[in-house]
Every structure is written in structure tokens, then in C-alpha cells.
Amino acid sequence: MKIGVHPNNLHLRIARLWPGSFKAFEPEFVPYREGRDTAALLEKGEIHFGGTGSTPPIEADARGLSAVYIAASAPRPANGAILVRRDSPIRSAADLSGKRISLIDGSFHTYLLARSLAGAGLGLSDVSRIESGDSDSLRDLVEGRVDAWVTMSPRLEKALTHEEISLLVRCGSTIPNRSLFWTLVRHALAPETRQAIAAELDRIGRAVMADVERAAALLAAEPGSEGDASSWARVLRSRDLSVVPATQNILAEQQEEADTLYRHGHFSLPVHTGQSMVQQAASAGGDR
């Protein structure tokens, strides 16, 4: 099985490093750049499933690709935030009106921003979204090229140690911010296969939580790692790495996000996200 791995999905990133992970699946871990590439790789058959934040599978459904949800992490209340400069006049989401916001647009960053703005009676059209891409967003914020920055772990933890940075909004008070593990209907993964993937993800997550120091050392030893073992250990201890199969409550969360992004004009048409458990079972007649 070809398992997609990108740097921002910490669960699969660790799975690629963790001895014996997915052994029963004869895994091939396929690295790629970022979560927004997941749908295209699934569409091309270059991976069989991947893990992202909540928004990429909704984007896939908006393109008519029929996302199928496999599993979901526990909520990650500390994993994402909106940051501003400490000397900024921005003190609440209401103050973001007319401001330049750096983010990875089309990721969960967009949903976090939309929900934060909605709570202040604003919409996405009330701000300028600046694609962060490969830019140094922390420097862009500190030097005033943007007014706020939507970011996530492990960059978030590093940014919060900067003396000129202040926390505006934390994910936990705004959105569930789960990792979603998903595929496309065209890959026809049978229900028992999806259940087995979910169980293996959960096993790995619990093994990591039981041996954080080992996982942190593996992450720190990766080429281009964003932190040392101690900083990775802090990130891992801040998370519940347990995983559950995708059930109707997860699909309901996803539909709420899709509806919110449509109301904010991110999608031009309503998006019906994911398939019901009954539809998934019926469509999965050809297990791999």
C-alpha cells in the first residue's frame, strides 16, 4: 500500500520512522510537499491514502473526486493559532478587518480564519489572504509585511518564543482541528481495510505516546528537522495521538466546515462532503 507522507502530518511522519508500522500492509511511504497535494496524488494513483487537516478532503469533494474518510485523530486544540505582533493594534478577531493575513490557503488555516472572523461578524472577504508558500512567514509578520499569521505546529511553538509575537486566537476555542486520514472512492478500499488502517494508526499513536523520547529522537534525526529532540518531545506531549475510525460525527464536522466555507464565499457552490457509512460500504466492493 502506498501511504502518502507530508511534513505537516505528524502522525504519518512518525509512522514512516517508527519500526514495524503498517507491516501487514507491505507499505511504501511516499513523501510529498504538503497536504494540499493529497487529492492530486490520490487522483493519479500515486498514493492510496494520506493524512491532512480537515480542509483538503472537502476541497477534493468540491472537485467531484468523492473523498472517503478512513479515520480521525483526537481534536488538536494546541496545534494551530493566529498570531500577531506584540505591538499590533489587533487585539481581537474583529480587528482583522481589512488586514493582510498570511496562511496556507485551502488548508485548515482557511477554516480557522473563517470561523474566527465569523465570531466577530466578519467574513473572509473582509481580509486579504496572503499565501504563505515557502516564505518566512514569521519574518514577514515581525517586519510588517503581513498583519497576522495563521500557523501550526511545530512552527507555532517556535514562534511563540519570539519576544515580538503575541497569540490572538488558538484553535481549541474555535475549531476541532483534527487530522483526517482519507482516500478516494476510486481506490475501493473495503470497510475492513479502512478499519485495519484506523487500528494501525491508533496503535502507532499510542506506542508513540508511551515512548515520547524515542519518537522525538527519530523526528530530530530527520534531515532538515525543524527542532531538536527536546522541542519535538514538547510538541508530542501536547497531543493526544489516539485515532478513531471516521464515523457520522466526523462527517458532520466536515459538513459544517464545508457549509461555513461556502457561506464565506470560499466555494462557489455548496459541497456535500464525504460519504455516509452506508454509501462507503456499498461503494467499496473491490478491496485492494
Side-chain angles (χ1 to χ4, degrees), residues 139-152:
R139 177 175 290 182
D140 288 343
L141 179 58
V142 170
E143 296 181 357
R145 286 184 287 276
V146 297
D147 301 298
W149 175 31
V150 188
T151 188
M152 69 187 111

Side-chain angles (χ1 to χ4, degrees), residues 50-198:
T52 67
S54 56
T55 310
I58 299 173
E59 295 275 2
D61 276 321
R63 292 175 52 201
L65 294 178
S66 298
V68 175
Y69 292 91
I70 297 171
S73 74
R76 301 172 300 174
N79 182 53
I82 304 176
L83 305 179
V84 295
R85 292 185 302 280
R86 194 173 296 278
D87 63 357
S88 171
I90 299 171
R91 291 291 180 263
S92 71
D95 298 326
L96 292 172
S97 180
K99 299 299 190 292
R100 297 159 297 168
I101 318 295
S102 175
L103 75 166
I104 300 174
D105 211 7
S107 72
F108 83 88
H109 294 189
T110 306
Y111 185 40
L112 174 58
L113 179 59
R115 284 288 297 269
S116 300
L117 292 168
L122 300 171
L124 288 173
S125 62
D126 292 307
V127 302
S128 295
R129 287 181 276 174
I130 309 297
E131 175 60 43
S132 59
D134 294 323
S135 65
D136 185 339
S137 297
L138 176 57
R139 177 175 290 182
D140 288 343
L141 179 58
V142 170
E143 296 181 357
R145 286 184 287 276
V146 297
D147 301 298
W149 175 31
V150 188
T151 188
M152 69 187 111
S153 296
R155 298 172 186 85
L156 172 58
E157 287 77 11
K158 180 179 179 181
L160 287 174
T161 66
H162 196 290
E163 62 182 9
E164 296 184 51
I165 294 299
S166 180
L167 177 68
L168 184 70
V169 174
R170 178 77 83 167
C171 264
S173 62
T174 311
I175 65 173
N177 191 31
R178 301 179 189 271
S179 276
L180 279 300
F181 303 93
W182 55 286
T183 182
L184 298 180
V185 69
R186 68 187 62 196
H187 289 297
L189 298 185
E192 56 268 27
T193 301
R194 299 197 303 272
Q195 289 283 342
I197 291 170

